[in-house]
Amino acid sequence: MKKLFYPALFHKAEEGGFWVSFPDLPECLTDGDDMEQAYEMAVDALGLALTSKEGEREPLPSPSAPDTISVEPDSFLVIVEFDMAAYKKRTNSKAVKKTLSIPEWLNEEATSMGVNFSQVLQEALIEKIQSRP
C-alpha cells in the first residue's frame, strides 16, 4: 500500500503544546507537548482511526485538498504522512500459522539448503504488497 497524506490542523493549546484534529476524520484527535510529539501522536492517532475503519470494512475517507480547509486563528495546517504497511508492521506483528503446499522436489531442495520457509514467505509477501499499484 502506498503512503497516505492527510491534512491535520494543529491548534495551539492554552497550557502549551498543541492539540491536533483531522478534518476528514472528526473522531481523530490527539495532542502533544511540542511540535515533534504532536506530529508523532498525530501519525499514531491517524493509524488507529484508519485501521479501525479498515477493520469495520468502512472505506477510508479521501484526504481533503489543503486549499479547501479553513484555518482558524492560533492554528495551522500540516500534512501528515502515513504508511499503512509500516504502521501495521509496528503495531501488529502477531504470528499467524499458514498451511501451504509446494512440490516435493522444491521442498527437498530448499530443506537441503537450510531455507527458512516462514522468512521466505514473509519477504515475498511484503515485496508483493509493496509493489501493488
Side-chain angles (χ1 to χ4, degrees):
M1 176 177 267
K2 296 179 182 177
K3 290 184 181 179
L4 304 170
F5 299 89
Y6 278 88
L9 290 169
F10 280 58
H11 311 268
K12 291 182 184 176
E14 289 180 17
E15 60 280 350
F18 302 93
W19 65 276
V20 183
S21 63
F22 289 86
D24 301 308
L25 297 151
E27 72 278 10
C28 187
L29 300 168
T30 191
D31 64 3
D33 294 335
D34 56 33
M35 182 65 185
E36 182 179 352
Q37 185 184 43
Y39 186 86
E40 290 171 0
M41 296 296 287
V43 172
D44 280 345
L46 182 59
L48 183 59
L50 294 177
T51 55
S52 292
K53 286 196 174 293
E54 199 175 63
E56 298 290 323
R57 302 210 186 280
E58 293 178 26
L60 300 184
S62 297
S64 295
D67 60 351
T68 65
I69 298 170
S70 305
V71 181
E72 301 169 3
D74 289 335
S75 299
F76 53 94
L77 186 69
V78 174
I79 303 300
V80 176
E81 179 181 351
F82 182 73
D83 184 332
M84 183 70 85
Y87 179 82
K88 287 181 178 180
K89 185 176 181 182
R90 183 170 52 89
T91 61
N92 186 12
S93 58
K94 176 183 163 189
V96 178
K97 185 175 176 90
K98 290 294 192 190
T99 303
L100 59 107
S101 299
I102 60 172
E104 184 176 13
W105 69 267
L106 185 58
N107 181 61
E108 290 170 2
E109 287 291 322
T111 302
S112 71
M113 292 173 56
V115 171
N116 179 324
F117 288 86
S118 292
Q119 182 179 1
V120 169
L121 179 59
Q122 286 180 46
E123 290 169 355
L125 288 171
I126 288 169
E127 184 177 319
K128 184 79 167 181
I129 289 167
Q130 289 176 344
S131 66
R132 174 174 71 175

